[in-house]
Amino acid sequence: MESYVSFVKELVDQGGPVSGDFNALDNAFRSVAGFIKNSTSPAAHAQMMRDALGEAMSPETIQGYGFLKPYGYSGDFQMIDKIYQQQVSDRADLKNWDLFFHAQKAPIAVRNRKQYFIDMLTRLRRRFEDRELQVLNVASGPCRDVKEYLHQSGDSRIHFHCVDADPHAIAYARETCRHQRHQMTFYHKNALRFRSADRFDLVWSAGLLDYFTDRQFIFLIKNLYRHLRDDAELIVGNFHPDNPSRDYMELIGDWHLNYRSEHDLIDIARQAGFGLNDIRIGAERENVNLFLHLKQGPTFL
Ligand SMILES: C[S@@+](CC[C@H](N)C(=O)[O-])C[C@H]1O[C@@H](n2cnc3c(N)ncnc32)[C@H](O)[C@@H]1O
């Protein structure tokens, strides 16, 4: 443990890790996380590691922001938008920590999932070229994905219904998407309580189910599926247990997820009553963020 603490302190003194240090730092976090699992005082050991990081654990860095959780929970809208926008501190002594953060597979997977959503929207538009489309975006966060789709596609005949439990997320997304305001409706609601008389061509949720128990997961997908139109699809994301950034996230960011494999997602969909023909598992390019697709019609998007 002491040697890893010294290593981290050396990196702090040199102004943060440069790319040549990334592997060694990854391995250090992995070794410490392994050590802590068998330790009698895991919290104290994790704190030792965070103390060694000093200012690199302040809200000036993304890892510090992640640990401090200004909105009271992991993965808030600002954190996710920092990831999307690859935000890097202006401070010379801290910026390398942000570069290290963005090089992790988990933030890469988050950026890839924005593209995954945009790809699904593009396919949906190709399937129904001429008509107005309704998309339900559950746990919509910063809505960077929606903004980028609308900006890139110029699609004026699609409406996004965005549900989020955090009013700060909604205020932030309204501001982010101020130029697309007429194509968006916001609902300040817990996803588990969301009900609507409307029916949707696509229901999308990323970054939410990873925090839910299996019971909540099943309840939510059954409820959301009822909101689909004919020939529509429900797509929900969940991180894979082999997430290579897991130790870093847990040790430094105190960021815990309910990980699920392809098999787990199929199993959960079967428990929710779906037939195998209506279930498909997709993934972004890193294979870290999986997507459970549940279709209503004959073909998947
Ligand atoms: C990790 S962010 C994901 C944002 C967005 N889906 C994305 O991928 O960019 C999670 C969002 O879920 C929201 N959230 C958490 N629990 C929720 C719940 N029970 N119902 C609705 N929104 C929730 C949070 O407020 C936050 O904005």
Side-chain angles (χ1 to χ4, degrees):
M1 183 77 200
E2 283 75 21
S3 62
Y4 297 119
V5 168
S6 306
F7 174 58
V8 165
K9 283 185 174 162
E10 273 169 35
L11 292 180
V12 168
D13 291 342
Q14 76 174 33
V18 293
S19 54
D21 300 317
F22 287 3
N23 268 343
L25 185 56
D26 274 340
N27 288 336
F29 287 144
R30 204 154 292 138
S31 302
V32 172
F35 169 81
I36 281 178
K37 273 176 201 133
N38 304 311
S39 135
T40 47
S41 46
H45 282 120
Q47 193 54 44
M48 260 170 82
M49 207 59 189
R50 290 192 291 265
D51 287 346
L53 285 160
E55 275 282 280
M57 284 305 286
S58 75
E60 285 281 317
T61 65
I62 304 187
Q63 63 188 18
Y65 180 98
F67 177 70
L68 293 165
K69 306 184 202 339
Y71 292 94
Y73 62 97
S74 295
D76 67 53
F77 59 99
Q78 252 174 6
M79 178 62 162
I80 298 301
D81 214 24
K82 284 173 193 286
I83 293 174
Y84 286 143
Q85 305 216 77
Q86 301 204 53
Q87 190 188 296
V88 174
S89 172
D90 294 332
R91 279 180 52 178
D93 58 331
L94 297 180
K95 71 175 195 320
N96 285 339
W97 294 101
D98 287 338
L99 295 174
F100 172 73
F101 178 95
H102 289 305
Q104 294 287 314
K105 294 291 187 191
I108 294 172
V110 168
R111 288 191 287 275
N112 288 348
R113 86 169 172 229
K114 171 161 62 63
Q115 190 55 46
Y116 194 93
F117 186 23
I118 291 172
D119 290 347
M120 291 304 139
L121 291 165
T122 308
R123 289 184 201 183
L124 181 69
R125 172 45 76 208
R126 275 199 213 113
R127 178 181 285 183
F128 302 109
E129 274 176 350
D130 300 326
R131 70 168 168 83
E132 183 85 27
L133 295 168
Q134 305 296 325
V135 173
L136 180 64
N137 181 11
V138 180
S140 47
C143 287
R144 184 68 52 192
D145 37 17
V146 173
K147 182 189 167 82
E148 285 188 15
Y149 171 74
L150 289 173
H151 181 73
Q152 288 165 21
S153 67
D155 189 345
S156 60
R157 305 193 67 209
I158 187 163
H159 195 91
F160 288 91
H161 302 256
C162 302
V163 180
D164 204 287
D166 183 347
H168 301 102
I170 292 181
Y172 186 90
R174 271 193 217 278
E175 177 56 22
T176 305
C177 302
R178 60 194 174 284
H179 299 303
Q180 289 96 357
R181 181 172 20 203
H182 53 289
Q183 286 179 260
M184 298 174 78
T185 305
F186 290 94
Y187 307 82
H188 174 213
K189 199 105 195 131
N190 183 336
L192 291 164
R193 298 210 192 93
F194 179 79
R195 304 279 180 284
S196 173
D198 294 333
R199 292 292 171 266
F200 303 95
D201 298 290
L202 172 64
V203 178
W204 165 267
S205 187
L208 177 66
L209 279 298
D210 316 69
Y211 300 90
F212 278 12
T213 62
D214 284 3
R215 240 180 108 224
Q216 291 171 318
F217 192 124
I218 290 170
F219 178 85
L220 188 73
I221 58 174
K222 280 175 149 175
N223 179 35
L224 293 179
Y225 193 81
R226 280 194 283 271
H227 289 79
L228 292 179
R229 282 182 169 171
D230 292 345
D231 206 6
E233 197 162 320
L234 166 64
I235 308 175
V236 296
N238 206 119
F239 263 41
H240 192 282
D242 292 342
N243 168 21
S245 317
R246 182 174 182 163
D247 289 333
Y248 173 58
M249 286 169 64
E250 292 182 355
L251 177 68
I252 304 302
D254 187 26
W255 192 343
H256 302 268
L257 300 176
N258 289 328
Y259 290 94
R260 293 183 176 94
S261 65
E262 293 87 341
H263 177 269
D264 296 332
L265 290 173
I266 292 171
D267 190 47
I268 225 165
R270 300 283 287 148
Q271 286 182 54
F274 294 94
L276 278 178
N277 282 343
D278 294 324
I279 302 171
R280 176 171 97 75
I281 305 296
E284 46 69 43
R285 281 193 305 276
E286 296 293 342
N287 234 20
V288 170
N289 203 156
L290 301 183
F291 298 94
L292 168 65
H293 293 238
L294 297 167
K295 69 173 171 59
Q296 173 74 274
T299 51
F300 289 102
L301 278 173

